[in-house]
Structure formats: structure tokens, C-alpha cells
Coordinates of all heavy atoms in Angstrom, one line a residue:
M1 N -8.4 8.6 15.6 CA -7.2 8.5 16.3 C -6.7 9.9 16.7 O -6.8 10.8 15.9 CB -6.1 7.7 15.5 CG -5.7 8.4 14.3 SD -4.5 7.4 13.3 CE -3.1 7.5 14.4
R2 N -6.0 9.9 17.8 CA -5.4 11.2 18.2 C -3.9 11.2 18.2 O -3.3 10.2 18.4 CB -5.9 11.5 19.7 CG -7.3 11.6 19.9 CD -7.7 12.6 20.8 NE -8.8 12.1 21.6 CZ -9.0 12.6 22.9 NH1 -8.0 13.4 23.5 NH2 -10.0 12.2 23.5
L3 N -3.4 12.3 17.7 CA -2.0 12.4 17.8 C -1.5 13.7 18.2 O -2.2 14.8 18.0 CB -1.4 12.0 16.4 CG -1.8 12.8 15.2 CD1 -0.7 13.7 14.9 CD2 -2.1 11.9 14.0
V4 N -0.3 13.8 18.6 CA 0.3 15.0 19.1 C 1.8 15.0 18.5 O 2.4 14.0 18.5 CB 0.4 15.1 20.7 CG1 1.1 16.4 21.0 CG2 -1.0 14.9 21.2
V5 N 2.1 16.3 18.1 CA 3.6 16.4 17.7 C 4.2 17.4 18.7 O 3.7 18.5 19.0 CB 3.7 17.0 16.2 CG1 5.1 17.3 15.9 CG2 3.0 16.0 15.2
D6 N 5.2 16.9 19.3 CA 6.0 17.6 20.2 C 6.7 18.7 19.3 O 7.9 18.4 18.8 CB 6.9 16.8 20.9 CG 7.7 17.7 21.9 OD1 7.8 19.0 21.9 OD2 8.3 17.1 23.0
L7 N 6.3 19.9 19.2 CA 6.9 20.9 18.3 C 8.2 21.5 18.8 O 9.0 22.1 18.1 CB 5.9 22.0 18.0 CG 4.6 21.6 17.2 CD1 3.6 22.6 17.0 CD2 5.1 21.0 15.9
N8 N 8.5 21.2 20.1 CA 9.7 21.5 20.6 C 10.8 20.6 20.2 O 12.0 21.0 20.0 CB 9.8 21.5 22.2 CG 8.9 22.6 22.7 OD1 8.9 23.7 22.3 ND2 8.1 22.3 23.7
R9 N 10.4 19.4 19.9 CA 11.4 18.4 19.3 C 11.5 18.5 17.8 O 12.5 18.2 17.2 CB 11.0 17.1 19.6 CG 11.4 16.6 21.0 CD 11.2 15.0 21.0 NE 11.0 14.5 22.3 CZ 10.9 13.3 22.7 NH1 10.9 12.4 21.6 NH2 10.7 12.9 23.9
C10 N 10.3 18.7 17.1 CA 10.2 18.7 15.7 C 11.4 19.6 15.1 O 11.4 20.7 15.5 CB 8.8 19.2 15.2 SG 8.8 19.3 13.6
Q11 N 12.0 19.1 14.2 CA 13.0 19.9 13.5 C 12.8 20.2 12.1 O 13.5 20.7 11.4 CB 14.4 19.1 13.5 CG 14.9 18.7 14.9 CD 15.4 20.0 15.6 OE1 16.0 20.9 15.1 NE2 15.0 20.0 16.9
G12 N 11.5 19.9 11.8 CA 11.0 20.4 10.4 C 11.6 19.5 9.3 O 11.8 20.0 8.2
Y13 N 12.0 18.2 9.6 CA 12.5 17.3 8.5 C 11.5 17.0 7.5 O 11.9 16.5 6.4 CB 13.1 16.0 9.2 CG 14.3 16.3 10.0 CD1 14.3 16.0 11.3 CD2 15.5 16.8 9.5 CE1 15.3 16.2 12.2 CE2 16.6 17.0 10.3 CZ 16.5 16.7 11.6 OH 17.6 16.9 12.4
A14 N 10.3 17.1 7.8 CA 9.1 16.8 6.8 C 9.0 15.3 6.4 O 8.3 15.1 5.4 CB 9.3 17.7 5.6
Q15 N 9.7 14.5 7.1 CA 9.5 13.0 6.8 C 7.9 12.7 7.0 O 7.4 11.9 6.1 CB 10.3 12.1 7.8 CG 11.7 12.4 7.6 CD 12.3 11.9 6.3 OE1 11.8 11.0 5.7 NE2 13.4 12.7 5.9
C16 N 7.3 13.2 7.9 CA 5.9 12.9 8.2 C 5.1 13.4 7.1 O 4.1 12.8 6.7 CB 5.5 13.4 9.5 SG 5.8 15.2 9.7
A17 N 5.3 14.6 6.7 CA 4.5 15.3 5.6 C 4.7 14.5 4.3 O 3.7 14.4 3.4 CB 4.9 16.7 5.4
F18 N 5.8 13.8 4.1 CA 6.1 13.0 3.0 C 5.2 11.8 3.0 O 4.7 11.2 2.0 CB 7.6 12.8 2.8 CG 8.0 12.0 1.6 CD1 7.8 12.4 0.3 CD2 8.4 10.6 1.8 CE1 8.2 11.6 -0.7 CE2 8.7 9.8 0.7 CZ 8.5 10.3 -0.5
L19 N 5.2 11.1 4.1 CA 4.6 9.8 4.4 C 3.2 9.9 4.6 O 2.4 8.9 4.2 CB 5.3 9.1 5.5 CG 6.8 8.7 5.2 CD1 7.5 8.3 6.5 CD2 6.8 7.5 4.2
A20 N 2.7 10.8 5.2 CA 1.3 11.0 5.5 C 0.8 12.4 5.3 O 0.4 13.2 6.1 CB 1.0 10.7 7.0
P21 N 0.7 12.7 3.9 CA 0.4 14.1 3.6 C -1.0 14.6 3.8 O -1.1 15.8 3.9 CB 0.7 14.1 2.0 CG 0.6 12.6 1.6 CD 1.0 11.8 2.7
D22 N -1.9 13.6 4.1 CA -3.2 14.0 4.5 C -3.4 14.4 6.0 O -4.3 15.1 6.4 CB -4.2 12.9 4.3 CG -4.5 12.8 2.8 OD1 -4.2 13.7 2.0 OD2 -4.8 11.6 2.4
V23 N -2.2 14.2 6.7 CA -2.2 14.4 8.2 C -1.2 15.6 8.5 O -1.6 16.4 9.3 CB -1.8 13.1 8.9 CG1 -1.9 13.4 10.4 CG2 -3.0 12.0 8.6
F24 N -0.1 15.5 7.9 CA 0.9 16.5 8.2 C 1.3 17.3 7.0 O 1.3 16.8 5.8 CB 2.2 15.7 8.6 CG 2.1 14.7 9.7 CD1 1.8 13.4 9.5 CD2 2.2 15.2 11.0 CE1 1.8 12.5 10.5 CE2 2.0 14.3 12.0 CZ 1.8 12.9 11.8
A25 N 1.5 18.6 7.2 CA 1.9 19.5 6.2 C 2.9 20.5 6.6 O 2.8 21.0 7.7 CB 0.7 20.2 5.6
M26 N 3.8 20.8 5.8 CA 4.8 21.8 6.1 C 4.2 23.1 5.8 O 3.6 23.3 4.7 CB 6.1 21.5 5.5 CG 6.8 20.3 5.7 SD 7.0 19.9 7.6 CE 8.2 21.2 8.0
H27 N 4.4 24.1 6.7 CA 3.9 25.4 6.4 C 5.1 26.4 6.6 O 5.5 26.5 7.7 CB 2.8 25.6 7.4 CG 2.0 26.9 7.1 ND1 2.2 28.0 7.8 CD2 1.1 27.2 6.2 CE1 1.3 28.9 7.3 NE2 0.8 28.5 6.3
G28 N 5.4 27.0 5.5 CA 6.6 27.9 5.6 C 7.9 27.0 5.8 O 7.9 26.0 5.3
D29 N 8.8 27.6 6.3 CA 10.1 27.1 6.4 C 10.3 25.9 7.3 O 10.7 24.9 7.1 CB 11.2 28.2 6.7 CG 11.6 28.9 5.5 OD1 11.3 28.5 4.4 OD2 12.2 30.0 5.7
E30 N 9.7 26.2 8.6 CA 9.9 25.2 9.7 C 8.6 24.8 10.3 O 8.7 24.0 11.2 CB 10.9 25.8 10.7 CG 12.3 26.0 10.1 CD 13.3 25.3 11.0 OE1 13.2 25.1 12.2 OE2 14.4 25.0 10.3
G31 N 7.5 25.4 10.0 CA 6.4 25.2 10.7 C 5.7 24.0 10.3 O 5.5 23.8 9.0
L32 N 5.3 23.1 11.2 CA 4.5 21.9 10.8 C 3.0 22.0 11.3 O 2.7 22.4 12.4 CB 5.1 20.7 11.5 CG 4.3 19.4 11.3 CD1 4.6 18.9 9.9 CD2 4.8 18.3 12.4
L33 N 2.2 21.8 10.2 CA 0.8 21.7 10.6 C 0.4 20.3 10.6 O 0.8 19.5 9.8 CB 0.0 22.6 9.5 CG 0.1 24.1 9.5 CD1 -0.8 24.6 8.4 CD2 -0.3 24.7 10.8
Y34 N -0.6 20.0 11.4 CA -1.0 18.5 11.5 C -2.4 18.4 12.0 O -2.9 19.3 12.6 CB 0.0 17.7 12.3 CG -0.1 17.9 13.8 CD1 -0.8 17.1 14.7 CD2 0.7 18.9 14.3 CE1 -0.8 17.5 16.0 CE2 0.7 19.3 15.6 CZ 0.0 18.6 16.5 OH 0.0 18.8 17.8
D35 N -3.1 17.4 11.8 CA -4.4 17.2 12.1 C -4.4 16.3 13.4 O -4.1 15.1 13.3 CB -5.2 16.4 11.1 CG -6.6 16.1 11.4 OD1 -7.0 16.4 12.6 OD2 -7.4 15.6 10.7
P36 N -4.7 16.8 14.6 CA -4.6 16.1 15.8 C -5.6 15.1 16.0 O -5.6 14.2 16.9 CB -4.7 17.3 16.9 CG -5.4 18.3 16.2 CD -5.1 18.2 14.8
Q37 N -6.7 15.1 15.1 CA -7.7 14.0 15.2 C -7.8 13.4 13.8 O -8.8 13.3 13.1 CB -9.0 14.7 15.5 CG -8.9 15.5 16.8 CD -9.9 15.1 17.8 OE1 -10.7 14.1 17.7 NE2 -10.0 15.8 18.9
A38 N -6.6 12.7 13.4 CA -6.6 12.1 12.1 C -7.6 11.0 12.0 O -8.0 10.3 12.9 CB -5.1 11.6 11.9
E39 N -8.0 10.8 10.8 CA -8.9 9.8 10.4 C -8.3 8.4 10.7 O -7.1 8.2 10.6 CB -9.3 9.7 8.9 CG -10.0 11.0 8.4 CD -11.3 10.9 8.5 OE1 -12.0 9.8 8.7 OE2 -11.9 12.0 8.8
E40 N -9.1 7.5 11.2 CA -8.7 6.1 11.6 C -8.0 5.5 10.2 O -7.0 4.7 10.5 CB -9.8 5.3 12.0 CG -9.5 4.1 12.8 CD -8.7 4.4 14.0 OE1 -8.9 5.5 14.7 OE2 -7.6 3.7 14.2
S41 N -8.4 5.8 9.1 CA -7.8 5.3 7.9 C -6.5 5.7 7.7 O -5.8 5.1 6.8 CB -8.8 5.7 6.7 OG -8.8 7.1 6.6
Q42 N -6.0 6.7 8.4 CA -4.7 7.2 8.1 C -3.6 6.5 9.1 O -2.4 6.8 9.2 CB -4.6 8.7 8.5 CG -5.4 9.5 7.5 CD -4.8 9.5 6.1 OE1 -3.6 9.6 5.9 NE2 -5.6 9.5 5.1
R43 N -4.2 5.6 9.9 CA -3.3 5.1 11.0 C -2.0 4.4 10.5 O -1.0 4.6 11.0 CB -4.1 3.9 11.8 CG -3.4 3.4 13.0 CD -4.2 2.5 13.7 NE -5.2 3.2 14.6 CZ -4.8 3.7 15.8 NH1 -3.8 3.7 16.4 NH2 -5.9 4.4 16.4
A44 N -2.1 3.6 9.3 CA -1.0 3.0 8.9 C 0.1 4.1 8.3 O 1.3 3.9 8.6 CB -1.3 2.1 7.7
R45 N -0.4 5.0 7.7 CA 0.5 6.2 7.2 C 1.1 6.9 8.5 O 2.3 7.3 8.4 CB -0.2 7.1 6.4 CG -0.5 6.6 5.0 CD -1.5 7.4 4.2 NE -1.7 6.8 3.0 CZ -1.4 7.5 1.8 NH1 -0.7 8.6 1.8 NH2 -1.6 6.8 0.6
V46 N 0.3 7.2 9.4 CA 0.8 7.9 10.5 C 1.9 7.0 11.2 O 2.9 7.5 11.8 CB -0.3 8.2 11.5 CG1 0.2 8.7 12.8 CG2 -1.2 9.3 10.9
A47 N 1.6 5.7 11.3 CA 2.7 4.8 11.9 C 3.9 4.9 11.2 O 5.0 4.9 11.8 CB 2.0 3.4 12.0
Q48 N 3.9 4.9 9.9 CA 5.1 5.1 9.1 C 5.8 6.5 9.4 O 7.0 6.5 9.6 CB 4.8 5.1 7.6 CG 4.5 3.7 7.1 CD 4.3 3.7 5.6 OE1 3.5 4.4 5.0 NE2 5.2 3.0 4.8
A49 N 5.0 7.4 9.6 CA 5.6 8.8 9.9 C 6.3 8.7 11.3 O 7.2 9.3 11.4 CB 4.5 9.8 9.9
V50 N 5.5 8.1 12.3 CA 6.1 8.0 13.6 C 7.5 7.3 13.6 O 8.4 7.8 14.1 CB 5.2 7.2 14.5 CG1 5.9 6.8 15.8 CG2 3.9 8.0 14.8
A51 N 7.5 6.2 12.7 CA 8.8 5.5 12.6 C 9.9 6.2 12.0 O 11.0 6.1 12.2 CB 8.5 4.2 11.9
A52 N 9.4 7.1 11.0 CA 10.4 7.8 10.2 C 10.9 9.2 10.8 O 11.9 9.6 10.4 CB 9.9 8.1 8.8
C53 N 10.2 9.7 11.7 CA 10.6 11.0 12.4 C 11.9 10.7 13.0 O 12.0 9.9 13.9 CB 9.6 11.4 13.3 SG 10.0 12.9 14.2
P54 N 12.9 11.6 12.6 CA 14.3 11.4 13.2 C 14.4 11.7 14.6 O 15.3 11.3 15.3 CB 15.1 12.3 12.3 CG 14.2 12.8 11.2 CD 12.9 12.6 11.5
V55 N 13.4 12.5 15.2 CA 13.5 12.9 16.6 C 12.3 12.4 17.4 O 12.2 12.9 18.5 CB 13.6 14.5 16.7 CG1 14.8 15.0 16.0 CG2 12.4 15.1 15.9
Q56 N 11.5 11.4 16.9 CA 10.5 10.9 17.6 C 9.6 11.9 18.3 O 9.3 11.8 19.4 CB 11.0 9.9 18.7 CG 11.5 8.6 18.3 CD 13.0 8.7 17.8 OE1 13.8 9.2 18.6 NE2 13.3 8.3 16.6
A57 N 9.1 12.9 17.4 CA 8.3 14.0 17.9 C 6.9 13.6 17.8 O 6.0 14.3 18.3 CB 8.7 15.2 17.1
I58 N 6.5 12.6 17.1 CA 5.1 12.2 16.9 C 4.6 11.3 18.0 O 5.2 10.1 18.1 CB 4.8 11.7 15.5 CG1 5.5 12.7 14.5 CG2 3.4 11.5 15.3 CD1 5.5 12.1 13.1
L59 N 3.6 11.5 18.7 CA 3.0 10.6 19.7 C 1.6 10.3 19.3 O 0.8 11.2 19.0 CB 3.0 11.4 21.1 CG 4.4 11.9 21.5 CD1 4.2 12.8 22.8 CD2 5.3 10.8 21.7
V60 N 1.3 9.1 19.2 CA 0.0 8.6 18.8 C -0.7 7.9 19.9 O -0.2 7.1 20.7 CB 0.1 7.6 17.7 CG1 -1.2 7.0 17.3 CG2 0.8 8.3 16.5
D61 N -2.0 8.4 20.1 CA -2.9 7.8 21.1 C -2.5 7.9 22.6 O -3.0 7.3 23.4 CB -3.1 6.3 20.8 CG -4.0 6.0 19.6 OD1 -4.7 7.0 19.2 OD2 -3.9 5.0 19.0
E62 N -1.6 8.8 22.8 CA -1.2 9.1 24.2 C -2.2 9.5 25.0 O -2.6 9.3 26.2 CB 0.0 10.1 24.3 CG 1.3 9.6 23.6 CD 2.2 8.9 24.5 OE1 2.3 9.3 25.6 OE2 2.8 7.8 24.1
L63 N -3.1 10.5 24.3 CA -4.2 11.1 25.0 C -5.3 10.1 25.4 O -5.8 10.1 26.5 CB -4.8 12.3 24.2 CG -3.6 13.4 23.9 CD1 -4.4 14.3 23.0 CD2 -3.3 14.1 25.2
D64 N -5.5 9.2 24.4 CA -6.6 8.2 24.6 C -6.2 7.3 25.8 O -7.1 7.1 26.7 CB -6.8 7.4 23.4 CG -7.5 8.1 22.3 OD1 -8.1 9.1 22.7 OD2 -7.4 7.8 21.2
L65 N -5.0 6.9 25.7 CA -4.6 6.0 26.9 C -4.7 6.7 28.2 O -5.1 6.1 29.2 CB -3.1 5.6 26.6 CG -2.9 4.6 25.4 CD1 -1.4 4.3 25.3 CD2 -3.8 3.3 25.6
A66 N -4.2 7.9 28.3 CA -4.3 8.7 29.5 C -5.7 8.9 30.0 O -6.0 8.8 31.2 CB -3.6 10.0 29.4
G67 N -6.7 9.0 29.0 CA -8.0 9.3 29.4 C -8.7 8.1 29.8 O -9.6 8.2 30.7
T68 N -8.5 7.0 29.3 CA -9.3 5.7 29.5 C -8.6 4.8 30.6 O -9.4 3.9 31.1 CB -9.5 4.9 28.3 OG1 -8.2 4.5 27.9 CG2 -10.2 5.6 27.2
G69 N -7.5 5.1 31.0 CA -6.8 4.2 31.9 C -6.4 2.9 31.2 O -6.0 1.9 31.9
A70 N -6.5 2.8 29.9 CA -6.1 1.5 29.2 C -4.5 1.3 29.3 O -3.9 2.2 29.6 CB -6.6 1.6 27.8
G71 N -4.1 0.1 29.0 CA -2.7 -0.1 29.0 C -2.3 -0.9 30.2 O -3.1 -1.1 31.1
P72 N -1.1 -1.0 30.3 CA -0.5 -1.8 31.5 C -0.9 -1.1 32.7 O -0.8 0.0 32.9 CB 0.9 -1.8 31.3 CG 1.2 -1.5 29.8 CD 0.0 -0.6 29.4
A73 N -1.3 -2.0 33.7 CA -1.8 -1.3 35.0 C -0.6 -1.2 36.0 O -0.8 -0.8 37.2 CB -2.9 -2.3 35.7
G74 N 0.5 -1.6 35.7 CA 1.7 -1.4 36.5 C 1.7 -2.5 37.5 O 2.1 -2.2 38.7
T75 N 1.3 -3.7 37.3 CA 1.3 -4.8 38.3 C 2.6 -5.5 38.5 O 2.9 -6.1 39.5 CB 0.2 -5.8 38.0 OG1 0.4 -6.2 36.7 CG2 -1.2 -5.1 38.3
G76 N 3.3 -5.4 37.4 CA 4.6 -6.1 37.4 C 5.8 -5.4 38.0 O 5.6 -4.2 38.4
G77 N 6.9 -6.0 38.1 CA 8.1 -5.2 38.4 C 8.4 -5.2 39.8 O 9.4 -4.6 40.2
E78 N 7.7 -5.9 40.7 CA 8.0 -5.9 42.1 C 9.0 -6.9 42.4 O 8.8 -8.1 42.2 CB 6.8 -6.2 42.9 CG 5.9 -4.9 43.2 CD 4.6 -5.2 44.0 OE1 4.8 -5.9 45.1 OE2 3.7 -4.8 43.6
A79 N 10.1 -6.5 42.9 CA 11.2 -7.5 43.2 C 10.8 -8.2 44.5 O 10.4 -7.6 45.4 CB 12.5 -6.7 43.4
S80 N 11.0 -9.4 44.4 CA 10.8 -10.2 45.6 C 12.0 -10.3 46.5 O 13.0 -10.7 46.1 CB 10.3 -11.7 45.3 OG 11.2 -12.3 44.5
H81 N 11.8 -9.9 47.7 CA 12.8 -10.0 48.7 C 12.8 -11.3 49.4 O 11.8 -11.8 50.0 CB 12.6 -8.9 49.7 CG 13.3 -7.6 49.4 ND1 14.7 -7.4 49.6 CD2 12.9 -6.5 48.8 CE1 14.9 -6.1 49.1 NE2 13.9 -5.6 48.6
A82 N 13.9 -12.0 49.4 CA 14.0 -13.3 50.1 C 14.4 -13.2 51.5 O 15.0 -12.2 52.0 CB 15.0 -14.1 49.4
Ligands
SF4_1 S1 9.2 14.0 10.7 FE1 9.3 14.6 12.8 S2 10.8 16.3 12.8 FE2 10.2 16.0 10.8 S3 8.5 17.5 10.5 FE3 7.6 15.5 11.0 S4 7.4 15.6 13.2 FE4 8.8 17.2 12.6

């Protein structure tokens, strides 16, 4: 699985490092290190970290979706004019 942390948003709360220590680690006072290609087995922990991050800085699988074109194709939402 792929993940990205928006380090501009990240405030170094370390919730993620607490919940998924194999993927996220605090380095120094405010620096966050993480594995952008985390093992699939870490998915549940990463999901917990995503949910726990106070600033929603962790994005999962955004790159995969962008690369494959998977996901909603944007067919809905057209208002019908009478
Ligand atoms: S939980 Fe969010 S804000 Fe805290 S260190 Fe992790 S990514 Fe940064």
C-alpha cells in the first residue's frame, strides 16, 4: 500500500507513530519519518493512524487511485433540467 503524509499539515502529534510504529516514527522534535510503501499487513494500523491524526495529514492509496483511474468515474451529479 502507498501512503503520503502531508508534512505541511503534520503537527508532530505522533498519534500515528503510536498506533503504527512500524510505519511512522518521530525523529527529533517535530520531524516525522514514515514508510511511503508500507506493508499490506500494516493496513489496519495505518487506518487507525489516519483516523487518529488530528489534522488529517495522512493520505492512503491516493497515488494508486490516481495512477489506475480506479474509483468513481464521475458519472453522477448531473442535474436534470426540466
Ligand atoms: S498523527 Fe498526524 S500530525 Fe501527528 S505526527 Fe502523525 S501525521 Fe503528523
Side-chain angles (χ1 to χ4, degrees):
M1 62 183 292
R2 297 214 217 155
L3 62 102
V4 178
V5 176
D6 183 344
L7 294 175
N8 291 319
R9 275 200 210 179
C10 173
Q11 299 296 314
Y13 291 115
Q15 298 296 326
C16 55
F18 178 71
L19 289 165
D22 289 338
V23 178
F24 305 96
M26 299 310 294
H27 189 255
D29 281 344
E30 296 236 333
L32 175 70
L33 293 178
Y34 67 100
D35 181 356
Q37 308 237 2
E39 299 277 334
E40 204 49 48
S41 60
Q42 295 292 323
R43 185 173 286 276
R45 285 170 181 248
V46 170
Q48 284 187 299
V50 169
C53 177
V55 292
Q56 286 84 51
I58 307 169
L59 306 172
V60 175
D61 287 343
E62 297 270 320
L63 298 175
D64 285 343
L65 291 177
T68 61
T75 51
E78 278 182 48
S80 59
H81 269 279

